[in-house]
Amino acid sequence: MSPAPATGASAAGRVEAELRRAIVALELPPGTRLSEQEIALKYGVSRQPVREALIGLARTRLVDVQPQRGTVVVKFSVRKMMEARFVREAVEVAIVRQACQSFAAQSRQRIDDLLDMQEKAASRDDHGSFQRYDELFHVELTEGVGMPLAWEAIRDIKAHMDRICQLTLPGASVVLTLVEQHRSIMAAIDARDAAQAALAMRHHLTEILRALPKTEARYPDLFE
């Protein structure tokens, strides 16, 4: 039996996911103008699902839909990055504090596997795989405390931070530092030390901020 054609909704979701990935990976850099027609041709869909995908990306502020001017991938903003880090910290610090009280054994084992995979990806300078495992690490933290909706609250925020990471984490040694930070978070959770877990998470989430000034100076055209 031949597969059923994609519905408008599923086509829009697929296009949105692909564009989101390309934007986060900087394959579509900040300031890039997006053409509905070109995207439709590339993904073999009509313009309607493309339009819906762009609306979805605009909702998460990855693109800006400008009347009469088209759609543009948003540029980096230091102010918005600080705000994103603030919101993300509030959620993830609460998550690790909760994890110190109760954390699912299955999620704990899964995190050990993810950290090993992160380390291997970092060692071979595979940034794409590292970011995928990094995201799964933070997803598993929320799963481990039985609060998957917490991930929904910060997923889009993390996407904005991951774009910057493409520029701020260029080498294996820097990325391996993040793996050690993840291990420090888990060590505090294993010790049921909520204060240390919160401190480790805050330190981890400020890593990107320490690199922002140099990044903005090096790539001024990518910033507002």
Side-chain angles (χ1 to χ4, degrees), residues 2-219:
S2 60
T7 64
S10 62
R14 177 172 63 87
V15 173
E16 181 176 348
E18 286 294 329
L19 290 176
R20 178 190 176 96
R21 184 204 59 77
I23 289 170
V24 170
L26 300 189
E27 293 170 14
L28 293 172
T32 301
R33 291 197 172 276
L34 302 178
S35 162
E36 286 186 8
Q37 183 61 31
E38 290 177 4
I39 294 170
L41 288 172
K42 179 176 181 178
Y43 295 109
V45 297
S46 68
R47 293 182 66 167
Q48 181 58 34
V50 173
R51 193 170 296 117
E52 292 173 13
L54 293 177
I55 289 172
L57 291 170
R59 193 176 298 119
T60 60
R61 301 183 182 181
L62 286 172
V63 304
D64 181 22
V65 181
Q66 304 171 342
Q68 310 304 321
R69 297 184 59 190
T71 302
V72 180
V73 178
V74 298
K75 291 192 173 186
F76 298 127
S77 163
V78 173
R79 179 184 62 79
K80 290 178 182 176
M81 196 60 56
M82 297 288 285
E83 184 179 354
R85 196 276 311 165
F86 178 85
V87 174
R88 186 177 170 193
E89 180 181 298
V91 175
E92 295 213 71
V93 166
I95 287 295
V96 296
R97 284 186 177 278
Q98 181 65 31
C100 288
Q101 298 179 35
S102 176
F103 198 72
Q106 184 177 2
S107 289
R108 184 64 188 86
Q109 180 57 56
R110 173 64 173 154
I111 282 177
D112 272 342
D113 295 339
L114 287 169
L115 291 177
D116 288 343
M117 289 187 286
Q118 274 190 318
E119 198 164 67
K120 290 175 183 176
S123 297
R124 63 177 183 267
D125 206 18
D126 183 350
H127 202 172
S129 293
F130 176 85
Q131 282 199 312
R132 185 164 62 253
Y133 299 140
D134 176 83
E135 182 161 303
L136 289 172
F137 168 81
H138 289 275
V139 170
E140 202 63 46
L141 280 176
T142 65
E143 293 284 350
V145 296
M147 297 184 183
L149 284 179
W151 170 249
E152 298 295 322
I154 61 174
R155 180 182 57 187
D156 294 330
I157 289 173
K158 188 176 185 299
H160 286 274
M161 299 177 80
D162 284 346
R163 288 206 304 159
I164 286 279
C165 285
Q166 296 288 340
L167 302 176
T168 61
L169 303 176
S173 61
V174 180
V175 180
L176 283 168
T177 298
L178 297 184
V179 179
E180 288 308 309
Q181 291 173 3
H182 285 167
R183 293 193 187 280
S184 294
I185 292 167
M186 297 313 301
I189 290 173
D190 290 342
R192 298 294 188 260
D193 188 338
Q196 183 57 38
L199 184 65
M201 179 59 81
R202 287 194 180 97
H203 178 73
H204 176 59
L205 294 180
T206 56
E207 188 73 40
I208 188 173
L209 300 184
R210 289 190 281 274
L212 265 182
K214 289 184 179 179
T215 305
E216 185 178 15
R218 186 175 181 183
Y219 304 99

